[in-house]
């Protein structure tokens, strides 16, 4: 009896110590949701336990047949995992963890890593709820990471497991969204203000950058902007590529009207400190409860530049648009004033990407050693809490890496599965501290198999960019820190004699872009000296130079082994996989399946001790 009581005590202690954070039960409310098909037949809810690395899905489909949910990759559904289930006419359920061996054929996995939590059918929906680890040890299961995830869903009209292209869909979703809007505070006093361009006739050109200068709300005391969202006309969403709001220095002399941001009048490109950014695929964003954009003090910007990038690829005539950003602000102040730091490759033609490349890497270096001097006042550490990644159509992946004293410190943010059509502000799981003297490196991965000419850096959607926006506090005066390679050195490495950067850029059109020359160009861009441009909100610019450090890849985390699981060769190390949860009976089993491995080891030791005690008592 003593041992039974001790066991219950240790079990409760272990559960209470480890069930911190957002823990899920089989019936927990799932916080995130989205329709997965154009006709809104398929509705997905999900939630996750970030510490235990378990995600729970609930798929609701308007069908009386089978339903399936899984993870695909960018290029093909072949090799995708798909968890399938349904309810037979006699009321019995079926459920299986499978994968696609080709576009039409499903095969059951040798390791069943999805746990069924519920499967029902009514007059309208078949509903399947299950959980799975972020990373199982089954090579047929795709990892769920903090990257953009291609969610694969399919269903049938009956219980015959056969894929039909008309009922198979792939949608890009950022599944591991750390902060849900419902978790954030809503101020008692809310004021709404629109920053917009009204009744603008969109030119028939492929690309238009429309800019205007607008005042921020006039307030008698300090307020904080705490949320923003795009304001788009219903039928024009496909024409608006991105919207940026730049803070202007209060000493700036600004033009009036609407004009091309980067055209004949250079004044329309004034103001370069981004404070709010939205791009295609994004939605509203609310800042964490302790930060906001300050307005209303003598040190705050009074005017902004609103930039709207239109992509009118079909050259449609006569379309008028009213778009912009809606901001929400309040007099209930937050603890910190926030800022945005723009990093990456400086956007101009010296940044080039060869055609026909399976893979090509570009690098932009930022050296923060001059930040303190350029800021004009003592500058505390930069605390990064969120980010926005941005390339154009050839971009496949981005990452921002931090170095201190010549040593790689960490990857700040990344997306190895970047989707041009899903660009949104994302929160970091932990805040990152950038200290004076740190170096920040942006790496962009491109693929250009569909291009037959060189892509140059530039504003058009058919040009390219390599940008990362870091959202941070407390605000300082640095607006951007971007790098680019010595193009003369790159041209020389490719066997071309040039004497100035313009020649070096133009000669890229003359190169025969064989796979060997593509790799040679990538290596030359990485090995050349980087020119680093640092700019303040008042348009003060300083240059420095540096060299691209190597990036040490972040190792994949341990996989979660299930009974009968297949362990991949690279995981056959002492820390390569986590043991399956200790099996007990009843409700205890479900709870233990979500425990971190440390808790399981503690509990396993406790159970061993109790067995010894039982034998002693006997």
């Amino acid at each position: 009896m003593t041992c039974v009581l001790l066991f219950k005590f240790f079990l409760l202690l272990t559960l209470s110590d480890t069930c911190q954070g957002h823990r899920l039960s089989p019936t927990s409310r799932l916080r995130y949701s989205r329709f997965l098909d154009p006709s809104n037949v398929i509705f997905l809810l999900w939630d996750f336990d970030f510490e235990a690395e378990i995600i729970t899905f609930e798929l609701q489909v308007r069908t009386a047949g089978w339903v399936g949910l899984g993870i695909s990759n960018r290029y093909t559904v072949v090799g995708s995992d798909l968890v399938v289930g349904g309810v037979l006419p006699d009321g019995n359920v079926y459920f299986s963890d499978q994968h696609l061996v080709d576009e039409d054929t499903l095969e059951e996995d040798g390791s069943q890593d999805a746990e069924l939590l519920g499967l029902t059918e009514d007059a309208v929906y078949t509903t399947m709820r299950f959980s799975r680890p972020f990373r199982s040890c089954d090579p047929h299961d795709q990892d769920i990471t903090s990257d953009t995830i291609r969610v694969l869903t399919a269903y049938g009209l009956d219980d015959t497991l056969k894929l039909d292209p008309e009922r198979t869909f792939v949608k890009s979703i950022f599944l591991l969204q750390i902060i849900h809007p419902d978790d954030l505070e809503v101020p008692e006093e809310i004021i709404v203000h629109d920053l917009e361009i009204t009744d603008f006739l969109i030119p028939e050109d492929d690309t238009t950058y429309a800019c205007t200068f607008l005042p921020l709300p006039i307030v008698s005391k300090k307020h904080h902007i705490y949320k923003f969202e795009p304001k788009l006309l219903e039928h024009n969403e496909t024409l608006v590529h991105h919207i940026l709001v730049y803070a202007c220095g209060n000493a700036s002399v600004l033009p009036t009207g609407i004009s091309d941001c980067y055209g004949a009048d250079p004044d329309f490109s004034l103001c370069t400190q981004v404070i709010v950014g939205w791009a295609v695929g994004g939605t509203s964003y609310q800042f964490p409860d302790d930060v906001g954009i300050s307005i209303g003090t003598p040190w705050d910007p009074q005017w902004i530049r609103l930039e709207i990038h239109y992509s009118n690829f079909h050259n449609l005539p006569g379309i008028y648009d009213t778009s912009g950003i809606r901001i929400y602000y309040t007099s209930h102040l937050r603890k910190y004033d926030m800022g945005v730091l723009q990093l990456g490759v400086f956007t101009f033609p010296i940044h080039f990407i060869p055609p026909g490349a399976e893979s090509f890497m570009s690098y932009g270096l930022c050296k923060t050693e001059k930040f303190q001097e350029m800021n004009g006042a003592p500058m505390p550490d930069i605390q990064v809490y969120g980010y926005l990644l941005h390339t154009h159509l050839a971009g496949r992946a981005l990452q921002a890496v931090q170095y201190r004293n010549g040593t790689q410190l960490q990857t700040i943010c990344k997306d190895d599965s970047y989707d041009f059509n899903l660009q949104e502000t994302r929160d970091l799981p932990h805040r990152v501290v950038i200290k004076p003297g740190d170096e920040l490196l942006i790496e962009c991965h491109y693929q250009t198999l569909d291009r037959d000419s060189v892509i140059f850096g530039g504003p058009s959607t058919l040009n390219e960019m390599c940008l990362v926006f870091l959202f941070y506090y407390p605000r300082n005066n640095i607006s951007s820190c971007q790098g680019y390679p010595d193009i003369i050195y790159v041209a020389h490495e490719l066997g071309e004699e040039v004497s100035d950067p313009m020649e070096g850029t133009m000669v890229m059109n003359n190169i025969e872009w064989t796979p060997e020359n593509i790799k040679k160009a990538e290596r030359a861009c990485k090995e050349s000296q980087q020119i680093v441009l640092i700019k303040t909100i008042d348009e003060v610019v300083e240059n420095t130079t540096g060299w691209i450090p190597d990036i040490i890849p972040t190792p994949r985390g341990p996989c979660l082994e299930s009974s009968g699981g297949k362990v991949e060769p690279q995981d056959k190390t002492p820390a390569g996989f986590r043991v399956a949860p200790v099996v007990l009976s009843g409700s205890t089993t479900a709870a233990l399946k979500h425990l971190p491995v440390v808790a399981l080891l503690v509990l396993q030791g406790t159970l061993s001790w109790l067995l010894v005690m039982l034998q002693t008592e006997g």
Side-chain angles (χ1 to χ4, degrees), residues 438-572:
D438 286 358
E439 292 190 353
L440 308 171
L441 178 64
I442 307 304
E443 178 190 71
C444 290
H445 178 193
Y446 300 97
Q447 187 188 77
T448 60
L449 294 174
D450 59 341
R451 304 292 184 96
D452 54 14
S453 59
V454 178
I455 305 173
F456 292 103
S460 168
T461 306
L462 297 176
N463 295 136
E464 264 308 333
M465 292 185 175
C466 173
L467 300 174
V468 173
F469 300 91
L470 295 184
F471 292 71
Y472 72 91
Y473 65 87
R475 182 186 69 189
N476 58 53
N477 290 324
I478 308 299
S479 63
S480 64
C481 181
Q482 299 170 283
Y484 61 91
D486 178 353
I487 194 68
I488 296 176
Y489 171 86
V490 174
H492 288 169
E493 289 296 297
L494 291 169
E496 300 289 337
E497 289 300 320
V498 298
S499 57
D500 61 57
M502 181 165 287
E503 260 193 283
T505 301
M506 296 302 296
V507 81
M508 296 303 154
N509 286 314
N510 302 332
I511 304 291
E512 181 184 357
W513 289 112
T514 62
E516 293 75 19
N517 280 339
I518 289 170
K519 283 301 171 188
K520 189 182 289 185
E522 180 184 79
R523 185 169 58 251
C525 287
K526 186 178 179 183
E527 292 176 352
S528 80
Q529 189 176 55
Q530 279 255 321
I531 295 87
V532 180
L533 296 178
I534 307 167
K535 186 180 286 190
T536 71
I537 187 173
D538 295 312
E539 309 295 329
V540 175
V541 179
E542 288 207 21
N543 296 355
T544 185
T545 58
W547 303 93
I548 300 297
D550 288 330
I551 297 176
I552 302 170
T554 304
R556 295 169 72 193
C559 59
L560 182 62
E561 184 186 30
S562 63
S563 57
K566 298 176 182 178
V567 179
E568 299 172 75
Q570 65 265 36
D571 296 322
K572 290 181 178 176

Side-chain angles (χ1 to χ4, degrees), residues 29 31-33 177-184 427:
R29 181 182 72 86
R31 297 176 296 165
Y32 304 95
S33 62
Q177 182 180 339
I178 299 300
I179 299 176
H180 189 277
D182 291 348
D183 300 333
L184 297 170
D427 296 297

